[in-house]
Amino acid sequence: MIKETSIKSTLFVVGLALGTQVMAMPSAQMLSYTCAGCHGTNGASNGPATPSLAGLSKDYLVEAMQAYKNDERSPTIMNRIAKGYNDKEFELMGEFFSEQEVHSIGKQSYDNAKAKAGKKLHKKYCSSCHSEGGTVTDDEAGLLAGNAALFMKYSLVDFHDGSRDMPKKMKKKIKKMLKRDAKAFDKLVNYYSKGE
């Protein structure tokens, strides 16, 4: 009887250990697979309205996911998706995507005259935070150049109509820019689509 109880106890402990293994935190790569359907393999998107995640800074990605989870960014499908993850999983995703090579969408159509005007606008109003033409990802301001054109367009509109928060400095600069040029967003999107 004692021997039988001992075997049952051992099996129970082994069962708990296996259960713990099954419930263990998924790896960063496994978590990234859940993003691939929209953001591409390893975060390299080629969709017209979905941003690439590859090469973005870990802090930027974690803050973005937390903002979606807390409904601090305009409501998209991301708000619902982000609620399914915890902060540790956001950290793992951020680490994984930050280690990938920066991905730019190639061959996006753009108007060269608008892109040229957009370059001037970028230099005047955006370059203090989005350095090197918006190609740098570790300045915590996200990737602009080579990102999906529709994503850029929607993001600028979200910032402008207040459905997405922006720093005071950015708000002031956008207001000033649009006062001087009502078509500034279109020119910027053409410049970023060119991916210089």
Side-chain angles (χ1 to χ4, degrees), residues 50-124:
T50 311
S52 285
L53 305 177
L56 295 180
S57 82
K58 176 186 167 186
D59 289 344
Y60 178 83
L61 286 164
V62 169
E63 285 175 20
M65 290 300 287
Q66 288 170 336
Y68 281 123
K69 186 173 184 174
N70 298 325
D71 296 319
E72 294 167 358
R73 278 201 177 185
S74 57
T76 66
I77 188 72
M78 282 305 302
N79 297 54
R80 292 180 181 185
I81 291 171
K83 286 177 178 38
Y85 298 95
N86 60 42
D87 285 346
K88 179 62 185 168
E89 290 166 327
F90 291 158
E91 296 267 333
L92 289 170
M93 289 179 203
E95 281 174 24
F96 178 82
F97 289 119
S98 69
E99 292 168 358
Q100 307 306 309
E101 190 175 327
V102 174
H103 175 75
S104 292
I105 296 178
K107 298 181 182 174
Q108 291 191 93
S109 63
Y110 61 89
D111 179 301
N112 202 39
K114 289 179 181 177
K116 196 174 175 182
K119 185 176 184 177
K120 287 180 184 173
L121 291 168
H122 174 86
K123 219 173 207 177
K124 188 170 184 175

